[in-house]
Structures are given as C-alpha cells and as structure tokens.
Amino acid sequence: MWSLTANEDESTTAHFFLGAGDEGLCTRGTGMRTEESDSELLEDEEDEVPPEPQIIVGICAMTKKSKSKPMTQILERLCRFDYLTVIILGEDVILNEPVENWPSCHCLISFHSKGFPLDKAVAYSKLRNPFLINDLAMQYYIQDRREVYRILQEEGIDLPRYAVLNRDPARPEECNLIEGEDQVEVNGAVFPKPFVEKPVSAEDHNVYIYYPSSAGGGSQRLFRKIGSRSSVYSPESSVRKTGSYIYEEFMPTDGTDVKVYTVGPDYAHAEARKSPALDGKVERDSEGKEVRYPVMLTAMEKLVARKVCVAFKQTVCGFDLLRANGHSFVCDVNGFSFVKNSMKYYDDCAKILGNTIMRELAPQFQIPWSIPTEAEDIPIVPTTSGTMMELRCVIAIIRHGDRTPKQKMKMEVTHPRFFTLFEKHGGYKTGKLKLKRPEQLQEVLDITRLLLAELEKEPSGEIEEKTGKLEQLKSVLEMYGHFSGINRKVQLTYYPHGVKASNEGQDSQREALAPSLLLVLKWGGELTPDGRVQAEELGRAFRCMYPGGQGDYAGFPGCGLLRLHSTFRHDLKIYASDEGRVQMTAAAFAKGLLALEGELTPILVQMVKSANMNGLLDSDGDSLSSCQHRVKARLHHILQQDAPFGPEDYDQLAPTGSTSLLNSMTIIQNPVKVCDQVFALIENLTHQIRNRMQDPKSVDLQLYHSETLELMLQRWSKLERDFRQKSGRYDISKIPDIYDCVKYDVQHNGSLGLQGTAELLRLSKALADVVIPQEYGISREEKLEIAVGFCLPLLRKILLDLQRTHEDESVNKLHPLYSRGVLSPGRHVRTRLYFTSESHVHSLLSVFRYGGLLDETQDAQWQRALAYLSAISELNYMTQIVIMLYEDNTRDPLSEERFHVELHFSPGVKGFEEEGSAPTGYGFRPASSENEEIKTDEGSTENLYPRKAPDEPDRALQTSPQPSEGPGLPRRSPLIRNRKAGSMEVLSETSSSKPGGYRLFSSSRPPAEMKQSGLGSQCTGLFSTTVLGGSSSAPNLQDYARSHGKKLPPASLKHRDGSFHVVLAYLWQNCLREAGGVEMSAGDPREA
C-alpha cells in the first residue's frame, strides 16, 4: 500500500513519504510539517478546495544511498516546493518486486551503486516514462573506464595520456604488453614510471601507481577507504598479469586532488582533498569526517564540468580533476555523487533540482510556475589590512640533510667499448654523459668485467686501462649486490685530444693525440636516517613561519599552513637537484611540512620536481671554470708551503678578512706540518680498523647505515693512498673528503672507540674551513664571478617567483561562498622550496655578502648581519636561506610601505664547535612581536640587541646551549607534537612577553643612494635597500622546543639558533635583466 497524497488542506506543506518496502509502513518524512495551524483544524465542508496537483518524485536507489545524510538533507529541502511530493522506493521492492508493481512517479532520481539492479530501473523507466534526472542507459558506460575515457576524448576534454590493455582472447591485438624495469609498453605506447594502472571496471577501486627505481621503486596501492586508510605502499614493482587495465601517465598534482560535483550543466561545487596516493592516510576532523575544502574552479574548469554533465547525461554527477603542469585533466567520472557536510551545497542542489523538475513538468500539470533567475554573486575576496601584513611569498634555498661520505674515482678510458656506450646513450650531443639507471650501470660493469678477463689472459695486450682502476670500478659497482641509481653513478666526458693534453694545454701535440673519455665514478653520499629526521623536523618547524594556527586541524601546531594547503590557497612547489640525497631530503621535508605519513617514495614522485634545467640547482662539479682553476691552483700553492703563515699569506688567503677563516689559519699555523699530522692519524686509523677486523668478536659487527668494517677500511685506505702523493706533496682537494669521513665516523660510529679521531676531526676541520669556502673564490671579485656561474639561473628564478606573486591573483583562492570555518578565504601564499647542494648555498651567500646589497658602512644592522656570516665556519646540513615577502593592501602600490621583504639565514644542524665558539643569533619570531615599540634613536647600535633585565642571564648563551656529551644526532625526533596550541600564537607570546623580548630598530627612510655596476649590481637589483624593521632567522628546533616549553636532551638534534636579521623593504621587480647587471638607485620603487 502506498500513500501518494497528503492532507488536502496542506497545500503548502512538504510531501515526503517512505515506501512500504522500508519498515513496512507509510511514514511522513522529516521534511513535512509536524504541527497544523488552527485554521487547518477547521472542517467546514463548504470551504473545501480541490487538491492541488502534485508532481511525484521517485527516489530509486539502494537504502545506503537513499537514506544517507546528504540525500536526506537535500530531500528535506526539495519537499519545500509546494507542488512536489517525494517517495522513496524501498530496497526490498527494488530487488524483489517486478517493475510493474513499483509505484508510479512523474520524475525519477535513480542511480547505480553496488548491488543495484540497473536493468530493472531501465525497464521501469521504459514502462512509466518518467522524467529522468540522471540518464539510466549512460550509467552502463560509467561502470566501464574504457567507455568513460572514450566519451571524454570525443568531447575534447583533456585527460592523461593512456592506453588500454584488453586481455580478451577474442581481441589479441589489444593485449600486447612489454614490461621493462622502469617502463611498460602497451600496444606500442610506452609509459615510463611513474605510471598508473587502473582496472577497466569502475567498480574495482584497486588502482596501482608504479614508481621508478631511481626513486626507490615499488608501488602505491589505492583502494576504497577502509577506516583512515585509502592506500598502502608495496615494494612490488611488477604490473598485474591477469585482468584488463588502463595504463596512463602519472600526473604530478602536488599531493592534492580536486573532486567536482555538478548539479546541472551550470553549477559545479569543487573540493580539495589530500591525494590518496600520497601516503594513504585519510585526514579526518574531530567528528571523524574526511577533511575537504571547497575551491574555486577556473573558467576552463567550469566549461569541463558542463561538458561532463551534458556528455554523460547526468544532472547530478561527480568527477575527479587533476591540476598538473598548469592544466586540468579529468581522470575519473563517478556518476551520481553528493557533497558531504556542506549546507550551502544542500540548499543549492535542492533549489536547482526543484527548479529543473518544475520547469520540465509544471506545464503538463498546468501548474503556474516561473523560474527564478539569480545572477552568480561572488563577493570581493577579503584581504588582510591594518598593521598586520599579509604573507604573500616564501622562498627557501635549503641544503640536503646528513649523508654518508661521498667517494669518487677518476680514470681515463680509451677502449672502443666505452666509446660505443658513450654513443649509444647520446653522449656526443653534449660531450658529457651521466649514467645512473640500473641497466646503464650494468652495461659499465659488463664492460669492466670483459676488460679484466682479457687483461688476465693477455696482460701485455692492447688494453690501456689500468688494472687497479678497473678492479676498483668493478668492486664499487658490485657493492650491495644490486643497483640503485641513488647509490652510484658514472659520468663520462669526451676529450678529443686526450684528458691529459686538455688539462695541461699541450696545443702543439694535440693533433697527434687520440681522443679519450674521462670516467668519473661516484658512490656514497646517501641520505642517512638521521638526515631524514633532520629534514622532517625542519619541515615541521617550518610550518610555524606561516600565519594562522588556531584550531585542532591535524592535532598539532602549524595548522595554519595545513589549512592553507588543503584549501588550495597555498601555491606550493618543491624543486630538487638530480642528486638522490637532495631529492630524498626534499621529500622528507615535505612530509614534515604537510604532516604526511608513510614512505618517502610516493611523496618524492608526487611533490618534488626535478629542476635540472639551465643549471637551476645542478652543477657539474668536475667541469671547473677558468676562474675556479686559477683559484684552486693558488690555494694549493699557498697550502703547500712548509712554513708558518705570515702576514703576506693572510693577505693572499684571506683578503676578505673572514673571522672564521682567520681563526682556522691561527689553528693551522704551518699547513704542511698539519697535513703531516693528519696523514699520520689516518695511517693510525686504518691500522686500528685492520686490527679490529682480525678480532673474532668483530666478524659480524654492523656499523651505522649497514656499513661493514671492510667498507669502512676501503674508505680510509683510499684517502690514505690519495692524500699523500708519490712526490711527498699533499693533494689539498682531498681535505674536504677527509673531514667528511671523520665527521661521519665520530658522529655515527663513535661506539667503535677508535683512538685519535677527535684530534683528526679538529685538524681536518681547521683545514676544511679554509679549503671549502675558498674553493668558491678567494677575493671578493672571484667569489662573485664563481657564484654567478653557479646560481645566476636560480637568482633569476627567485626574482620571477616574487614577481608572479602579484601577477597571479586568480589562482589558489578559496571560494568565498563556501568558506564556512575559514577565517581568511582571501589569503593565498606562494611557497617555492629549492633543495640543493653546498655549492649553490655558498654561491648564493657570496652574492648576498659581496654583491652590494647594502652598504655596511652606512647600515649597522647589515654590518651585524655580515659579522655573523663572517663568523660562520661551516654551512652544515640543512643550511637555509629564506626570503619572505609581505604586503599591506591598504598602502599605495607605489609606496615604500606597501611591501616588506625579509631575508633569513641559518647555518643548519649543530656542528662540532667547542663550548661558546659557535656564533649565536636570536632565532625566528613572528611579526606580531614587532607590535612592541621601543623608542630609541634610529640607527643606534644598541637597538640591535635586546634589553636585559638586571638579573637576566645573557640571552645569547640561553639560546644556543651546547651538548654536554659527545657530538651526535638522534635517531628519533626530539619534538613532541603539541595539541590545541597554534605554533604562531605560542611563539608570539614567548617572544613578546618574556623579559628580553625586543624589536629591532625601525627606519622609514632609505640609506644613502647606492649605485653598483657589474656583478655586484645583480644583487642590488634583486632587492631594494630600505630597512623597515626587525626580522629573524629561519626556524630552528631550539626555538621551536623552547617556545613550547620543551627541553631537548643533550645529544638531541639541534638546529643552530644563530641567524642574521635584515629586513628589505621593497623588491625591484624588473632588475636582473641580463648577466651584466643593472644600475639603479635605491629608494624609488617606481623605477622597477
């Protein structure tokens, strides 16, 4: 028995009924009015009016869908239409009753889900011919991904490049699969990893993403959400061998997916969520619901939504959008889908559906109805105003984390097999070739084994390669028993007249010399577990630099950034050089920054971009410029003198007067004598290792990062052989490697108790503190020339990032109509993170220090900043240079007060300095601490330091505690996530309320006019020179822990608290035009 009418007097009451198939009775729905007015209780038969015609809207779906919260909310609103009555067909009726017994309706909302009899629904629609909200026949196509992609292609909608593998015996021509280690070929189409493998059935949610071996291999396995998991990482790298699949190109989306929900062709609601492929962890709020935020669609994306809705004939339709490489791609169409937990969407959806039904059916029932029309009204996006400036852009250049010692071997090769390999991989195009892939390294190993076998048969044959070098090449390539591109690589450089002749400039004999290849084998240098911890912790602390932070999203501080990112108001790009350790550092940093979980490989593939273009972050360390050759030769000459340093040596080696350099020279005194001591200590060290290897107790001894005593001995024996040459002179270029190795062993293998390592560390560090920075130039002019060679493309890219912050006003903004719970829908921040090696960081600092950015004689704050830099002896792991751009939209665009630029610096993780010897700074503090006014004379030196209470200990000593035990880094994170507290708020209170809180001097006038030309002006052009107020360093873990009331253990991970502070008021927008530099005066932004 079905009730299809209501009380005849309730003409304005919603009509919402449940079928007898549900609970066996007719029930008035929640959309109906539960109380009747007094007038409705009058029963005067003379005043009765005929019943108003009703349009019956039938809901035909499985109970789980028809009684879901979104459906209930929408039907409640739909029932408010005067002429609509909603009935819900019970699941028992749908499954067990013939369609002839189904109640009749004028409009049908029906959609397929698991277990739904779509065939019966189609038969019912043919029998009753209702108005269909979602076409039923098209729902067959939506269940087959092949048909979905075909329809999308026919409509001209962008989708990832794909190929279909049909394992159908009737169509063998569509089942051609060739699987390689890092690619698959499907019916002639090649898909390099990473690629996506989707079952052709849309009901099968087991989608796999396969990763390249260079990123660690394996696959991410996606599935329908189970609890808080939506995917899991698997080490399996082979594709599935049964079933039919779609293989498609993987689209890098920066870890976020967009789900679009249409209601008719002219309405689309879009939400951002964390990609399930990223770490498989579903972000949920305090109520257990998946965290999603609505976003604004571009005009092109709205057109795509219209096309999808019309092409599939689904009024209510959901589909997935991938935003990648500046384009939007549709990767899946889900059919009937509702938005969850959006009251605004429920209102809009019910209104649009009601109007659609009335427009179609009202004329048939002679119901007077006019369609209300409302223009889309999007309010102006609010901006930050007042004294609080809006953070617009964050740019960071960061060195990689802790790594294993780098090792390198060079040899000249002339055998035809090497030339054949060089030609095979396109080496002649550029004259250089880099081999990292496992199959490429296997080719090198095969050639080496063949040559060694031939040498064994005929020692006096025609093979010119040295047996010892070939043996070393073979042993290194055979290490670990397998290849990984992150562990080893081979570089080949072509020399048409031989390597020796090219290096020595023997022009007269060149034509007679045969060409050769310089083979450089590099191994080691892998990111250690400690390096991953460093990067992840710094990423977590880095969140505190962003505005916002109240609330309990994700349950710990820094949620302001997380909300920015999840709502598409955070424009984040992460770049890394092609070195494995750098890429893994970037992935670990992203994991901490965005509160991700799981393995680094999926994060690396999706979040980190390879920036090997125009030398942006990569550099060929083996191809030195003429200036570098001159500097290196002069450095070697000075350090080969067996005599104490005299005044002339100080002038030649330290013309810039660097404090750390002068201190190191004071420790060294006589460079040859110190090298003798270092060599003797290395000999003693290798002797101790050999003795330890003969000890039965040390047979199965495992060192840090799975190293063995044998591998450790190989490291030190090679340095022992290479450091002192046959002539008795020392190879100064090996000093950084020696310091690298001893620092690693003291830090990670201290439990061995090897004697003399502390002294070797002290002496090698003193030498390294001279050699490493001076390899990038001795004089100011040389430092700038070499720096520009390294980082000019990066400087140009930084400038472009800052400029585009003001040009791209239409992207990365939250839709203001849906921003419930988001206090600043207009805020969008551009973040660009560049992960690189030590060379780029040294070069960038050289440009800032010696490029004429500010006049230190006229600016006390800049003078203090340079003094701090001068005292830094080492740019350690995780060194950071951070540029932050703020904007005050209430100021005139041409005013100097419109923009505020801050430059921050931290020399990375804590090194091995003795107590009190490391320079100290004040750490990062948010801008809110600047609200405290300190009235002092402008430019006074005392303004640069905090005011101390009479009984307060020195702040500099407080902020950089030294470890009381031996140096070392922890294996586990020392930071505990703090719930309920926003990081920015805690930091603000700490820095402004404690005694000693301070504000640097504020000056609204620019310093004297400066004009620079040549190399220096490139830096001058990058930023203006007006100092406005206090700044601070990049975040460090000491500040983070201190602000949260935590005490780090003595041997825990410490980022140096030291940092220099300089605020740059306004950036020049069109300066770094050419490598030659630009002349301009400071203080007038209109010249930009």
Side-chain angles (χ1 to χ4, degrees), residues 1056-1077:
R1056 291 190 195 172
D1057 203 51
S1059 51
F1060 69 80
H1061 312 281
V1062 59
V1063 183
L1064 308 168
Y1066 185 78
L1067 66 114
W1068 299 105
Q1069 295 201 17
N1070 294 313
C1071 43
L1072 206 64
R1073 295 170 186 150
E1074 300 295 338

Side-chain angles (χ1 to χ4, degrees), residues 819-833:
S819 56
R820 181 172 62 89
V822 179
L823 300 180
S824 55
R827 175 181 292 138
H828 62 287
V829 180
R830 174 187 293 266
T831 298
R832 294 293 181 267
L833 305 175

